[in-house]
Amino acid sequence: MKIDGPFEGERIVIRSYTPEDLDFCTGMWFDPENGRYLSDPTEEHVDEVYRKALDGMERSADGYYLIIELRESGERIGTCCAFPDREGKVWDIGYCIHRSRWKRGYGGEAVNLLTGWIRAQGGTDVTAEAAKENRASCALLERCGFLPVRESSFKKYHMDVSFDSVIYGKKL
């Protein structure tokens, strides 16, 4: 799905993903450091099924794939996504900031901007999953008002790598 138009924060803009963003996205997601705690695989574990899913992200009927850009320059610095339930009330989100922009507050700004947009769409609750050992992401969610709801786990696609995780929730 695509958003009606970009939405802006103080320093960033969030817009719909386009196929021209694919190399930027996979460059982050497949990177062993940048994508360490994502469910996405590293490059050598990408198969045809996964590649086909990437090639159709802009047409997803299940959710929104979005690009985070710097407001001043338009430089891409990250990605985020939002998946509503059937009623459009409970949304699950994800986010990834390029490692060259870590520890500058862009992740928190993106999460807050995204949750504000979800509220405007009629969402009442937001969830996000973070690997327990990804302390930075867990702390970011808590700073943004998310609370731990339950423990879980996830596995990287087609890899023998799994993480214990926390599902966080926030009432809007």
Side-chain angles (χ1 to χ4, degrees):
M1 294 188 270
K2 292 186 182 260
I3 58 176
D4 289 335
F7 45 98
E8 296 186 14
E10 184 179 321
R11 300 177 301 156
I12 62 171
V13 173
I14 297 179
R15 64 166 174 81
S16 290
Y17 166 88
T18 66
E20 293 77 30
D21 297 313
L22 182 60
D23 288 343
F24 169 75
C25 295
T26 57
M28 276 195 319
W29 300 339
F30 298 165
D31 179 80
E33 182 181 5
N34 213 128
R36 178 177 181 185
Y37 297 114
L38 301 178
S39 61
D40 300 281
T42 55
E43 183 72 38
E44 59 273 11
H45 292 92
V46 172
D47 64 3
E48 196 55 39
V49 171
Y50 190 90
R51 181 66 61 192
K52 186 174 181 180
L54 288 175
D55 290 341
M57 285 192 310
E58 73 280 4
R59 296 181 307 276
S60 172
D62 298 324
Y64 299 85
Y65 291 95
L66 307 166
I67 300 297
I68 305 165
E69 297 178 334
L70 291 178
R71 188 174 179 179
E72 298 263 327
S73 66
E75 175 190 351
R76 293 176 288 210
I77 63 164
T79 60
C80 55
C81 56
F83 298 92
D85 67 3
R86 290 183 183 187
E87 293 79 36
K89 298 296 181 190
V90 179
W91 294 62
D92 188 54
I93 64 168
Y95 52 88
C96 181
I97 301 297
H98 193 278
R99 67 180 181 202
S100 68
R101 300 297 180 158
W102 285 352
K103 298 182 181 182
R104 298 184 190 180
Y106 292 117
E109 186 174 346
V111 167
N112 286 328
L113 195 55
L114 187 57
T115 56
W117 177 80
I118 289 169
R119 182 183 306 109
Q121 306 311 302
T124 60
D125 297 89
V126 178
T127 62
E129 184 173 20
K132 284 184 178 180
E133 65 184 73
N134 186 351
R135 292 187 180 109
S137 191
C138 292
L140 180 153
L141 288 167
E142 290 174 11
R143 280 193 308 274
C144 291
F146 285 75
L147 298 172
V149 174
R150 70 180 186 282
E151 294 188 0
S152 188
S153 64
F154 67 91
K155 198 174 173 193
K156 288 183 88 57
Y157 181 86
H158 276 311
M159 295 176 67
D160 191 26
V161 176
S162 60
F163 296 99
D164 290 331
S165 63
V166 177
I167 306 293
Y168 287 88
K170 180 177 181 173
K171 294 270 185 208
L172 300 180

